[in-house]
Amino acid sequence: MDYLLRSRRMTVPKRYAEFVALIAISCTLFLFLHTQSLTSRLREMEDRLQEPSSLSAASGLSGNSISQASAGANQSHHPDEHLQHHDRELIGNLHHTYNYLKSTGQMQTLKATELNNTRRAEVPIIFFNRVPKVGSQTFMELLRRLAVRNDYTFHRDVVQRLEVIRLAPERQQELAEMVMDLPVPSVYVKHVCYTNFTRFGLPMPIYVNMVRDPVERIISWYYYVRAPWYYVERKQAFPDLPLPDPRWLKKDFETCVLQGDPECTYSQNAVHEGIGDHRRQTLFFCGHGEECLPFNSAGALERAKYAVESQYAVVGVLEDLNTTLTVLEKYVPRFFSGASSVYFNEVNVLQKINKNNFKPPVSEEIKNLVRRNFTKEIEFYQFCKQRLYKQYLATQVPLK
């Protein structure tokens, strides 16, 4: 009996030691696998972040292709998700633009000075003829805040009962003369078509504007004019305005498109007047002429492209504010110095400006259905995006 008891006492520690050893080995294996997984994920993220630098090395670019504004934005809110989404999209856009420039031989002669129309401006006045529903309210507020920092005066057009964006020649001249009478340096903001100041013997200002995916823009406009607060503001400004039909207010965009409602029928070359014709983003760059009126027309597209290329210092893209702000800081520093810092440090405030919480989601099927009729408008949007990335890449080319 004593022998058996001694044997049991001796075997327990041995089994316990084996059990502890097994746990230790399991934990070590788990930690090893987990570490390997983390290492793999970190390497993938590092590869994503280093990819623009690899692009820079291959093309002779210097510095990271991801802007400082991007870093600031990513640190401001939801860093992991925003970082991966934005970097993936930005890298893809930069690669696409870079490969195009390289394949056409333009990369060898790319110069920021030749892409910067600010040098052609004859007076330090920004003319921001803002397109509706492209984040222009937020952009306008950014300009207002930068006015204090960068010592310029900010001016905007008064709210009007009926917004007229296409002006007769005499009205264009009145507008141009009024802007030129502002103290320098100044910023002037108005919903209006591109206006050629030199046509009236006046100095050329610094033209800037913003664009947005045209289908997302019309959806935004559709629900913007149906938002309750929109009519509250309009009623306060103009008490005699009649209230809209409740059935019109309740109509959703998808039903409007599928039922062929005139409001959501985007007929090719159709001509509409007024700011209510929200479908034509090109109109704000094409100009005041009648040739700019037909919807989705080749003529309006080419005129809009020419104005952007030859007149505008920067046309930003709502979907990529990081690159937009970086390019504005590089190409129009007198007015946009510190723009990224001001925007992203106060992003929670600025992003709430004019935000419509009443806009429901729209299916991709409906969006794709609508896109079929927006071919020229989409081409213009892509043209502006490519020019923005081309301007950004040019700022990374070392001076020779």
Side-chain angles (χ1 to χ4, degrees):
M1 180 67 72
D2 292 340
Y3 174 77
L4 290 174
L5 288 173
R6 283 197 300 270
S7 298
R8 287 175 181 174
R9 290 192 192 102
M10 291 176 64
T11 56
V12 169
K14 183 178 179 181
R15 291 177 180 174
Y16 179 77
E18 290 174 351
F19 180 71
V20 170
L22 182 60
I23 291 177
I25 292 171
S26 300
C27 290
T28 302
L29 180 60
F30 172 79
L31 289 173
F32 174 78
L33 294 174
H34 186 61
T35 302
Q36 287 293 95
S37 176
L38 288 175
T39 301
S40 177
R41 288 173 61 190
L42 287 171
R43 282 177 179 170
E44 289 176 5
M45 181 172 288
E46 183 180 9
D47 289 342
R48 284 197 299 270
L49 293 174
Q50 291 300 324
E51 192 171 0
S53 297
S54 300
L55 169 64
S56 299
S59 62
L61 305 182
S62 63
N64 290 328
S65 294
I66 299 176
S67 67
Q68 295 300 318
S70 173
N74 297 328
Q75 293 170 3
S76 299
H77 54 289
H78 307 298
D80 293 337
E81 181 180 355
H82 186 80
L83 175 68
Q84 294 178 26
H85 173 74
H86 177 267
D87 286 353
R88 193 159 50 241
E89 184 175 358
L90 173 57
I91 291 167
N93 286 327
L94 285 171
H95 268 293
H96 178 78
T97 303
Y98 167 70
N99 288 333
Y100 169 76
L101 294 174
K102 185 178 179 181
S103 66
T104 56
Q106 297 180 59
M107 200 67 219
Q108 301 298 322
T109 58
L110 197 63
K111 294 182 181 179
T113 52
E114 294 181 358
L115 292 168
N116 191 359
N117 287 326
T118 305
R119 62 191 173 88
R120 299 181 57 228
E122 300 167 298
V123 61
I125 293 179
I126 281 186
F127 187 66
F128 175 30
N129 63 311
R130 63 186 184 117
V131 179
K133 307 314 298 173
V134 297
S136 62
Q137 285 276 14
T138 300
F139 193 76
M140 186 168 61
E141 181 60 25
L142 175 63
L143 280 167
R144 193 194 307 274
R145 298 185 187 202
L146 286 172
V148 177
R149 177 189 178 112
N150 294 333
D151 191 26
Y152 61 80
T153 58
F154 176 89
H155 312 267
R156 62 162 297 182
D157 191 22
V158 297
V159 178
Q160 300 178 26
R161 181 187 180 98
L162 179 62
E163 196 92 50
V164 178
I165 61 172
R166 200 172 69 89
L167 309 177
E170 57 272 16
R171 291 284 310 282
Q172 295 176 47
Q173 183 169 355
E174 290 172 6
L175 172 63
E177 289 175 348
M178 183 271 292
V179 172
M180 285 299 114
D181 284 339
L182 297 174
V184 293
S186 284
V187 166
Y188 184 76
V189 183
K190 177 179 173 61
H191 286 306
V192 69
C193 295
Y194 161 71
T195 304
N196 188 345
F197 284 51
T198 59
R199 175 186 177 187
F200 306 106
L202 297 169
M204 175 180 173
I206 303 168
Y207 294 100
V208 299
N209 215 325
M210 295 282 294
V211 293
R212 180 183 188 178
D213 178 287
V215 174
E216 296 294 344
R217 179 176 168 266
I218 63 163
I219 295 171
S220 178
W221 178 271
Y222 183 90
Y223 287 109
Y224 170 72
V225 295
R226 287 169 166 80
W229 51 265
Y230 172 81
Y231 277 97
V232 170
E233 291 181 355
R234 295 289 292 172
K235 238 347 190 179
Q236 289 175 342
F238 310 103
D240 59 328
L241 277 179
L243 290 174
D245 187 331
R247 292 172 298 179
W248 180 84
L249 289 174
K250 294 178 180 178
K251 181 173 56 177
D252 67 271
F253 182 76
E254 295 197 358
T255 301
C256 185
V257 171
L258 292 174
Q259 291 185 351
D261 191 295
E263 185 180 5
C264 302
T265 301
Y266 308 103
S267 301
Q268 304 301 284
N269 294 308
V271 174
H272 299 269
E273 283 281 14
I275 199 170
D277 181 31
H278 51 275
R279 68 198 70 189
R280 294 171 304 172
Q281 192 164 222
T282 54
L283 182 61
F284 287 81
F285 300 88
C286 178
H288 300 269
E290 291 188 2
E291 61 274 11
C292 298
L293 288 174
F295 168 66
N296 206 52
S297 71
L301 168 65
E302 293 308 315
R303 287 179 174 85
K305 281 184 177 180
Y306 178 77
V308 170
E309 196 76 64
S310 64
Q311 303 296 311
Y312 281 81
V314 177
V315 174
V317 176
L318 177 64
E319 287 80 1
D320 195 344
L321 284 176
N322 293 323
T323 305
T324 296
L325 294 175
T326 300
V327 171
L328 283 166
E329 288 178 329
K330 294 286 188 180
Y331 284 72
V332 200
R334 173 65 185 82
F335 292 88
F336 288 95
S337 176
S340 298
S341 174
V342 170
Y343 179 83
F344 289 114
N345 286 337
E346 304 175 26
V347 68
N348 290 330
V349 175
L350 293 180
Q351 283 190 336
K352 293 177 183 177
I353 296 173
N354 228 21
K355 182 177 177 61
N356 187 3
N357 294 318
F358 295 92
K359 185 177 74 172
V362 175
S363 69
E364 287 301 314
E365 289 78 11
I366 294 296
K367 291 179 183 179
N368 290 334
L369 185 64
V370 172
R371 284 193 178 101
R372 297 174 187 174
N373 285 359
F374 277 75
T375 53
K376 299 294 190 296
E377 290 290 325
I378 291 172
E379 182 179 339
F380 176 71
Y381 169 70
Q382 295 296 341
F383 168 83
C384 291
K385 282 182 68 174
Q386 186 179 75
R387 180 177 185 256
L388 180 71
Y389 293 124
K390 185 176 179 180
Q391 286 181 310
Y392 176 79
L393 286 169
T395 66
Q396 306 302 303
V397 177
L399 295 175
K400 297 179 180 180

